[in-house]
Amino acid sequence: MMKNFRLIVFSALCFLCFYANAATVDSLDVPSAVMNKAYKAAVVLPASYANSKAAYPVLYLLHGGSGHFRDWLTLTPDKMLVKNLADQFNMIIVMPEGETFGWYLDSPVDPNNKFETYITKEVIQKIDNTYRTVRSNKGRVITGLSMGGHGAMYLSGRHPELFCAAGTMSGAMDMNYTKFRINEDFAKSLKDRFQKLLGTSDTSDDVYVKNSIINMVDAIKKNGMPIIIDCGVDDFLIEANRELHHRLLYNNVPHDYVERPGAHTWEYWQNSLPYHLLFFQKVLKGNGSAVEGK
């Protein structure tokens, strides 16, 4: 009886020690003056943050077109993925709201969709004012999946003063939805959504052209920012990723590009994210912004 009691106590202590030394998640309200409302963001703080006085680098991790800010915490097969990565790399990971089909840009027709301004002027400021962060582009990196991959490349391409590296997983690198490998019903849904977001469903319109990442190669080259791109070979967005890769090669723009087995799935993105963190950590170390040790 006493032996079993000791075993239970020991197991409980191990459980408490494990969770006392694990990353924590904050749910933060981030007001938006530009959209006149508040959105939530999830913020993962590594376990080392509580007992440190160091300024921490920040990864902004963006969700996809049909998702919301908590997706990376709730939809990965391994629900500890983001927490474990925050601990492994001693990095704050911020997952802001981009709304369903918000595309992380400022809509020319919808005043309730100003997510470029929201992320770059409101979310980053709120995070820097709330947490002990590296308050310069030397300590900020950004990546995301699908629509969030577009958002990461778009925001970093247009605001190189805010980030030192960017990535995209299964990213929508071309907003021309007629080129996606999708069925008729999905294409019709996208057409309607783009009409609402951009004011037209004509993919030859300048609003599609200038906002597509495949047409931002000159800006990417000028910025000289380290970037990592990957996509599954069975993904419906693979052709646009290949096209961006080819254009970057043609223009002698350094970048990491990877194709792996997989489709547009959480299994693929769960496998992909750690590679992005390894890539970013190298950049952050080079900037002197990485937090070493535990």
Side-chain angles (χ1 to χ4, degrees), residues 82-187:
V82 177
K83 293 181 184 179
N84 288 339
L85 290 173
D87 279 340
Q88 181 181 347
F89 292 97
N90 278 315
M91 191 180 298
I92 297 172
I93 300 179
V94 176
M95 290 152 282
E97 181 60 62
E99 266 296 1
T100 303
F101 219 73
W103 280 83
Y104 302 99
L105 51 73
D106 288 354
S107 168
V109 294
D110 184 358
N112 296 312
N113 198 115
K114 302 292 182 183
F115 284 96
E116 177 182 2
T117 297
Y118 176 63
I119 300 292
T120 59
K121 297 187 182 300
E122 298 176 326
V123 174
I124 290 176
Q125 182 183 57
K126 178 69 172 181
I127 296 300
D128 283 349
N129 288 341
T130 305
Y131 301 99
R132 200 171 56 252
T133 64
V134 178
R135 299 188 178 195
S136 76
N137 64 350
K138 293 184 181 298
R140 291 192 206 101
V141 294
I142 186 168
T143 191
L145 67 89
S146 194
M147 181 187 82
H150 168 277
M153 295 294 291
Y154 185 79
L155 297 175
S156 63
R158 288 169 58 85
H159 302 275
E161 75 283 0
L162 295 178
F163 305 99
C164 64
T168 168
M169 294 167 264
S170 309
M173 300 294 95
D174 188 348
M175 297 184 80
N176 185 347
Y177 57 88
T178 65
K179 296 180 181 179
F180 297 175
R181 291 184 188 170
I182 54 177
N183 61 41
E184 243 180 81
D185 289 341
F186 192 8

